[in-house]
Amino acid sequence: VSTFDALGRVLAAEVRSQLDVPPHDNTSMDGYALRVADLRGPGTVLPVAQRIAAGQVGAVLAPGSAARIFTGAPVPEGADAVVPQEQCEALEGAAVRIDAVPPAGQWIRRRGEDVRAGSSVLPSGTRLTPQALGLAASVGAATLTVRRRPRVALFSTGDELVMPGEPLKPGAIYNANRYTLRALLQGAGCEVSDLGIVPDRLDATRAALRSAAAGHDLILTSGGVSVGEEDHLKPAAAAEGRIDLWQIAIKPGKPLAFGAVRRGDDGGGEALLIGLPGNPVSSFVTFLLAVRPVLQALQGMPSTEPAGLLLRADFDWPRPDARREFLRARRNAEGGLELFPNQSSGVLTSAVWAEGLIDNPPGQAIARGDAVRFVPFSEWMS
C-alpha cells in the first residue's frame, strides 16, 4: 500500500534503509559555517564567501572565510562548526563578526546519525503509527508491504434488542454492544461485516454462524453465551464447528466462548469464534482481554500484555471476588486511584467515566494506600 495510506496497518515485511539519514552533514541552526581554527577569539571578523540555503550544495570553504548557512543546508566541505546568527553580527562589505568561539562540531547534524544505510528501521509486525510512517518516508519508502486486515463478522443475539432510532417496546433495550464492539474492531484495524441482531432461536443462531463463517477470519458475537434456555450460542457452535473454551474466571465477563465454525462452500477451513457476554461492561472488558490478542495474532503482531502502572488506591475494597476482578477506576488530582461507585457489569457509564482498569487478583482485598496494578485504556487499545 502507499505509505500515505498505511496508518494503523501492520507491516508484513521489514523496512530497510538504502541510504544514510541524514544523507549529508547539515546544520541545525541558521548562522555561519566556519573553521574553528580561523577564529583568534571572540570578535574575529571573517569575509562571507558564499550563501547556502537548504537544498543547495556549497563550494569547499576557503580557509579564513565563513559561509552564510540556513537550517537543513549541507555543511560545506572544510567547515567544522556552525555559529548561530544570534552570536554573530553581519557587517558591510560581505563580512561577519563572530562573537563566540564554538567547539568543533557545534550545531552540525552528522551524516547517518539517525539511520545508517542497510539498517532495519521498522521490523515486520510493527503497527504503523504516524511517526513510523514518517520514518519510512525518511528512508524513501513510497510503499509498504502490510498484512491483510482481519475480516470480522459481528452480530448480537437477543429478542430484547432494538436499534437506536427504533421505538423502545416494553421489555426492550437499545443495542449498545453493537456500537462498542464495531468501534473497537475498527480501531484495531479490522474490516467489519455487521450482521445485525439474531433472534433467540437455535436455528437462527446456527444459520447466522454458517453465514458469518464464509469469507471471515473471526466471528464475534455478544449475548447468548450464558446457561439460560434462551442462550443458544454454545449448542449452535458445537453443531456448526467446535467450542474449545467456555467461561473464564474473571469479573466482569465470566461467560465467554472460544472455538471455530466450519466454512461451507468457500474452500473449507474454519473461522475463529469468540462469543462475548451480553452485559455491556462485560462485553467491553472481555474484548480487551480475549479478542485483542487474537486480532494481534491474525495480523502477525507479537502478542503483548499491557504493562500497566503501580498506583496508590484511594479507596477500600474489603469484599473481593473469588475471580480475578477488573475494576473501573481513574486517577485523581493527588495521583491516586478512585473507583466508580457502581461496579455492576451493566453500568456502561462506568467505562466512560473511567480511565482504565484495576487488575485485582482473585480474593485480594484492597485497603486505602495499597499499591494496585492499573492499566489505562490507552494501553489496551494501542
Side-chain angles (χ1 to χ4, degrees):
V1 299
S2 166
T3 303
F4 270 126
D5 300 320
L7 181 64
R9 304 298 294 268
V10 177
L11 280 178
E14 69 174 353
V15 177
R16 189 172 289 276
S17 180
Q18 303 302 312
L19 72 159
D20 290 328
V21 180
H24 44 251
D25 292 355
N26 69 91
T27 176
S28 58
M29 297 287 283
D30 293 336
Y32 293 85
L34 46 73
R35 286 180 168 87
V36 175
D38 289 337
L39 300 178
R40 299 182 300 277
T44 299
V45 175
L46 297 174
V48 178
Q50 55 183 310
R51 182 182 186 276
I52 311 171
Q56 299 176 349
V57 177
V60 176
L61 186 68
S65 70
R68 181 72 166 112
I69 196 166
F70 298 90
T71 303
V75 174
E77 184 180 344
D80 60 5
V82 173
V83 180
Q85 61 190 25
E86 294 83 0
Q87 296 175 346
C88 304
E89 183 178 350
L91 304 175
E92 293 183 3
V96 62
R97 185 174 67 228
I98 308 299
D99 294 328
V101 178
Q106 176 177 275
W107 301 120
I108 296 177
R109 294 182 289 215
R110 296 298 181 187
R111 174 176 178 169
E113 71 174 34
D114 186 5
V115 177
R116 288 290 186 185
S119 64
S120 176
V121 296
L122 293 169
S124 176
T126 298
R127 182 177 291 282
L128 292 164
T129 59
Q131 58 269 38
L133 297 182
L135 180 57
S138 77
V139 300
T143 61
L144 299 168
T145 303
V146 298
R147 294 290 294 249
R148 177 175 60 76
R149 295 184 187 275
R151 298 175 182 136
V152 183
L154 173 67
F155 67 81
S156 308
T157 65
D159 292 338
E160 77 280 12
L161 298 176
V162 297
M163 291 299 293
E166 299 176 0
L168 196 62
K169 302 174 294 184
I173 58 172
Y174 286 123
N175 187 359
N177 288 349
R178 187 172 178 181
Y179 289 82
T180 303
L181 296 176
R182 180 188 176 101
L184 286 166
L185 288 167
Q186 289 172 331
C190 300
E191 294 179 2
V192 184
S193 299
D194 190 335
L195 304 186
I197 300 170
V198 174
D200 279 329
R201 301 194 318 270
L202 179 60
D203 63 333
T205 306
R206 289 187 63 177
L209 290 176
R210 286 195 299 271
S211 174
H216 294 100
D217 305 300
L218 171 68
I219 305 167
L220 184 66
T221 71
S222 66
V225 292
S226 193
V227 292
E229 294 180 2
E230 299 301 321
D231 295 313
H232 300 297
L233 186 68
K234 185 177 182 180
E240 299 296 332
R242 56 187 170 84
I243 288 288
D244 298 322
L245 179 150
W246 185 262
Q247 298 186 341
I248 52 176
I250 67 167
K251 183 180 181 181
K254 178 181 176 181
L256 185 138
F258 181 82
V261 176
R262 294 184 299 273
R263 294 195 180 101
D265 299 329
D266 65 341
E270 59 185 19
L272 297 177
L273 168 68
I274 302 180
L276 303 182
N279 279 322
V281 180
S282 299
S283 179
F284 175 64
V285 170
T286 50
F287 182 98
L288 301 180
L289 289 170
V291 181
R292 174 181 174 269
V294 172
L295 295 176
Q296 288 177 322
L298 287 174
Q299 295 180 82
M301 298 173 64
S303 182
T304 56
E305 177 76 10
L309 305 166
L310 281 179
L311 296 178
R312 184 187 69 247
D314 286 349
F315 61 88
D316 294 308
W317 190 251
R319 292 179 294 277
D321 198 87
R323 293 171 285 170
R324 182 180 175 186
E325 295 177 289
F326 292 89
L327 308 173
R328 278 79 73 202
R330 72 181 183 191
R331 285 168 281 203
N332 56 32
E334 291 73 42
L337 292 171
E338 55 187 67
L339 283 185
F340 191 79
N342 188 340
Q343 292 288 317
S344 168
S345 61
V347 180
L348 192 54
T349 49
S350 66
V352 177
W353 175 91
E355 292 180 347
L357 302 173
I358 293 173
D359 182 358
N360 194 42
Q364 178 70 55
I366 300 173
R368 189 178 300 268
D370 287 350
V372 295
R373 181 174 181 254
F374 176 70
V375 183
F377 290 139
S378 58
E379 288 195 22
W380 291 109
M381 299 179 191
S382 63

